[in-house]
Each structure stands twice: as structure tokens, then as C-alpha cells.
Amino acid sequence: MIDASTLLTILLMASVTYSTRALGYLALRGRTLGYRATAVMEAAPGCVLISVIAPDFASDKPASLIALAVTLVAATRLSLLPTVLIGIAAAGVLRHFLG
Amino acid sequence: MSSIELDTLGEVAKPVGVSEFLRGLAAAVPVQIGFVPFALVLGAQAAQKGLSPAEVPLMTGLNFGGGSEFAAIDLWTSPPHIALIVAITFLINSRHLLMGAALAPFLSAMPKRKVLPALFFMCDESWAMGLADARARSSFSMAYFLGAGIALWACWMVFTAVGAAIGPMIGDVEAYGFDMAFPAVFLVLLRGMWTGLRAARPWLVSLVTAALVYLFVPGAWYVAASALSGLVSSYLLAKQP
């Protein structure tokens, strides 16, 4: 089953994502950006990732906050897969014991 | 047989391309193993938000940008806030603009009609693999890039579909801590983007704005407010080189 509004969302997501792939190559080929534009381009992905996970930092459950801190420390020194496994394990165990 | 002779023979160009493609497929295997758990979690979470096992691979196959899909599923409602999800998708994937620009010098000898379809398979990992390979061998191998990119794309699409299909059998993935996979992925991506405290000041602005808006304003406004405040502060804080 494919819902119409879901399909529309998916098609629009796909179009804007592909546009970012093509436009970077087409528009920025052989050119250099100004320093402000470069700064915004460099900061943008990080700002967006943070804005999406921000509610995790504002959680009112101690177990989730401690698990997030553990995950944060893991992320500073480990690669993707071990960090995810540690994050999941920490959240699962802490929620089990702290609720 | 010398390499010059090989290059002048048109008919051997294809087998060389095939072996380069296979080299890309093989190089992608360890990355594919890393993709599987995320794909399963994303599929399971999407199923919990009401997406069907057909809609999930449609999204992950057509969009093929993991970070934006995690965000979209996180923000998913029924019916979805289309404008919000599409805007966030664009912002999260805006890093592709820089990635494509970084590849451009290596692709200058290739016609656009070949590059543009290939760029569909540019994700963080295939981009990094293609660039690293180009630096090691001092020339960019499009067949290698495509081999890696297509291997990762197929793996992502198939295992998100599997996740959507078996997710409902697993039940509430949150109880086992699986939701922590999202911030974990994002935090590792952020670590990879980290270039120092000075450059990260807009991130702090984003974080504080997001937390405040999330606590005091109902709805998903925190995402837009936080992303915008970060972009504005990066513009204002930019230092002339």
C-alpha cells in the first residue's frame, strides 16, 4: 500500500536530495565561494543534525540523558558501528534499571 | 601486452570497466555490514510511524540519504508535514553541494551526461571511497565509484525494507534502546565534521535554540528555528580569511 501524501513527500524528498548532488557539481565546478558562503555551507549540516536530535538533550528521563552522555563520549572516540551498539545497549540497560 | 596497447583497443575498455566496478563492489562490503543495523532500525521505526513495507524502500531507494531519512521518520506524522520534511531533507543533504564540488575537478574530463546519473549514488561513504581511491591512484575511477555506490544503495534499500517488514514482529524498538541509534549516528557524523571549537560555535547556537524552542513551543518548530539560528550565526561569525 502506498499512501498519496506519503508518495508525494517521498518524491519531493528525492528531488531535493538529488538536486543537492547535481548542483554542487554543476554550479560550484571550477569556482570558489566567498568566505561567508563557505562558512554557512560548512556549518549547515552540523546545525541541522543538532536541531533534529536536540529533543534528546532536553529529555526529562534520567536514563535517556545518561545513555545520551555515554553515546556522546563513545562518538568522540569510536567509529559508527561500535558507537551505535554502545548507545543502544546503554539506553536499553539504563531504562531497564532506572525506568 | 603494454598498457598503451590496451588503451588503444576499444573493445577492452569494457572488461577494464567491469573489473573496476567489481573492485568497487568488493571495497563496499565492510561498509555494507555497517549499513545493515541502521537500515533495520530505520525500517522498523518507519513501520512504527505507519509507513508500509513498500513505502520504506521507495523512500530509501529514491532519496538515498540516510541522515535525512532518519530525520524524516523522526518528524513523521500522519499525514506528513510535507514542507517541513522536504526542507529538513534539503538542509541535511546540503553537504552534498560541497561534496559534489570537491569531486568536480576529478570529473572535468567526463561528459555531464555520464556524471549526472552517477552522482545519484553519491553518499557520504561512496564519495569518501571514490576520493580516497582517486588520491591513492592519482586518477578518479568512475566504475569503481559506481560499484561502491550501487552496492551501498542496494544494501540500504533492501535492508530498510527488511526492517519495515520484520519491525512489527520485534515490537516497540524503543524499549530495547534502539532509538538511541539515531543520536549515535548523528553524533558520529558531527564528530567527523568537527574542525575545532571556533567553527562549532554555530552548532552551540543551534543546540541552545532547539532545546529552548522544543521546551516552550509546541510542534516541530524547534527544527526550523534551530537550523536557521545556526545558519545566521555562522554567517555573522564568519571571519575573513
Side-chain angles (χ1 to χ4, degrees), chain B residues 26-103:
Chain B
V29 171
V31 187
Q32 283 179 313
I33 295 169
F35 268 31
V36 171
F38 303 117
L40 293 174
V41 168
L42 179 72
Q45 288 278 55
Q48 221 161 43
K49 291 276 187 155
L51 276 85
S52 72
E55 289 165 342
V56 171
L58 196 66
M59 170 165 79
T60 56
L62 289 175
N63 182 64
F64 189 43
S68 60
E69 288 149 14
F70 276 105
I73 293 306
D74 209 27
L75 300 170
W76 204 272
T77 47
S78 188
H81 288 292
I82 298 179
L84 172 72
I85 289 173
V86 172
I88 289 302
T89 300
F90 177 80
L91 284 171
I92 289 186
N93 292 330
S94 63
R95 68 185 186 284
H96 290 151
L97 293 165
L98 286 174
M99 288 156 59
L103 275 187

Side-chain angles (χ1 to χ4, degrees), chain A residues 51-71:
Chain A
S51 66
V52 173
I53 58 170
D56 290 300
F57 289 88
S59 169
D60 55 358
K61 296 193 183 90
S64 299
L65 282 177
I66 299 168
L68 183 66
V70 170
T71 311

Side-chain angles (χ1 to χ4, degrees), chain B residues 119-161:
Chain B
L119 283 177
F120 176 81
F121 298 101
M122 185 181 76
C123 61
D124 297 323
E125 292 80 4
S126 63
W127 173 79
M129 287 170 72
L131 264 191
D133 185 64
R135 286 194 185 122
R137 299 157 61 99
S138 63
S139 84
F140 183 83
S141 169
M142 182 52 100
Y144 172 83
F145 171 79
L146 274 177
I150 290 174
L152 295 174
W153 170 77
C155 173
W156 182 244
M157 188 166 62
V158 167
F159 282 95
T160 50

Side-chain angles (χ1 to χ4, degrees), chain A:
Chain A
M1 269 296 285
I2 295 171
D3 172 71
S5 62
T6 299
L7 180 65
L8 179 65
T9 312
I10 289 171
L11 290 177
L12 289 172
M13 281 176 75
S15 324
V16 298
T17 301
Y18 181 72
S19 79
T20 61
R21 293 189 166 110
L23 287 175
Y25 159 74
L26 289 175
L28 306 184
R29 181 164 54 156
R31 288 186 206 173
T32 43
L33 290 170
Y35 75 99
R36 282 195 196 277
T38 308
V40 173
M41 291 283 289
E42 279 167 3
C47 291
V48 175
L49 291 179
I50 285 173
S51 66
V52 173
I53 58 170
D56 290 300
F57 289 88
S59 169
D60 55 358
K61 296 193 183 90
S64 299
L65 282 177
I66 299 168
L68 183 66
V70 170
T71 311
L72 181 67
V73 173
T76 59
R77 44 203 78 211
L78 300 171
S79 63
L80 198 53
L81 193 57
T83 303
V84 169
L85 294 177
I86 287 171
I88 291 172
V93 170
L94 284 163
R95 281 181 196 149
H96 181 75
F97 289 108
L98 298 179

